[in-house]
Amino acid sequence: MEFLRITNIVDPLFKQMHQLMQDVFPKEEVLDFELWKEPLEDPGIRVFVAVLNGKVVGATEYRYYEDFNVAMTDFTIIGVAGLGVGPFLAENRLADLQELAAANNKDLYGMFAEIYNPYQVEHYEFGGIKPMDPYVRREVLAHLGYKRIDFKYVHPSWDNDGTAVTGLDLCFLPMEKGTNELPTDLVVKFLTRYYTVLPYKPDSWYSMVQDLEAKSRIALMPL
């Protein structure tokens, strides 16, 4: 299996990856094909696919913020069960991020991720791919060390229509064991930066950020 980076929409592997995203994720979570041109060409956004015999069997997108010394996993897709795609993507992603942090003369502080909460919304099917089942994914990510940031999370729809998307938790994987809280300022700055690309945000998102700004620390809870 190969871990290959995609940097433009004309890469034939991207067509496979985009189709895989459409097969797996809800419509409002997937950017249109043409809108991927700028993200893929952005050096700060890292999109990699797991390729086996010329076929995309998994994918992940993530980014590293030098000034925050944290990463964000945008998504992880396991396209085929029984190949070890999940561990392959996670291990290669972490190794890449640790190299980026080292080049920044730091040890990686941790990684954000939005994780589906099937206890809130149960209709996600994720293309019928069992490793992508939200109950399975949640337990796997818990075993990896991810923790739920203790607040009610909403995010703007990637349709950029101002709709609030619920049914997910914002989580964090601390690199240092025993970390049970975060500076709320870090969460606010991260969310503000991350969603700059979407100008149309729901009122509930702004209310959420204001509530966070009123606190200094926020707890990390078990998934």
Side-chain angles (χ1 to χ4, degrees), residues 36-96:
W36 275 91
K37 184 178 185 301
E38 289 188 15
L40 288 176
E41 294 174 357
D42 185 334
I45 298 177
R46 306 179 75 77
V47 179
F48 284 83
V49 288
V51 180
L52 183 64
N53 298 325
K55 180 182 178 182
V56 172
V57 293
T60 185
E61 176 186 309
Y62 56 97
R63 59 195 79 194
Y64 173 66
Y65 297 89
E66 290 187 0
D67 49 346
F68 302 156
N69 189 34
V70 297
M72 169 63 174
T73 300
D74 297 324
F75 63 77
T76 302
I77 301 175
I78 299 168
V80 181
L83 296 177
V85 174
F88 176 80
L89 291 173
E91 290 167 8
N92 280 278
R93 178 177 60 216
L94 181 58
D96 184 42

Side-chain angles (χ1 to χ4, degrees), residues 125-138:
E125 296 182 4
F126 293 95
I129 301 170
K130 287 301 181 183
M132 292 296 292
D133 180 286
Y135 288 99
V136 174
R137 294 177 70 202
R138 197 170 178 90

Side-chain angles (χ1 to χ4, degrees), residues 163-182:
T163 301
V165 177
T166 59
L168 300 100
D169 291 315
L170 184 64
C171 300
F172 190 75
L173 171 63
M175 292 295 108
E176 185 175 335
K177 290 184 178 180
T179 301
N180 293 313
E181 61 179 12
L182 292 176

Side-chain angles (χ1 to χ4, degrees), residues 93-112:
R93 178 177 60 216
L94 181 58
D96 184 42
L97 285 167
Q98 288 173 331
E99 287 184 10
L100 292 171
N104 194 29
N105 298 313
K106 295 177 180 176
D107 293 324
L108 182 66
Y109 182 64
M111 194 181 327
F112 288 100

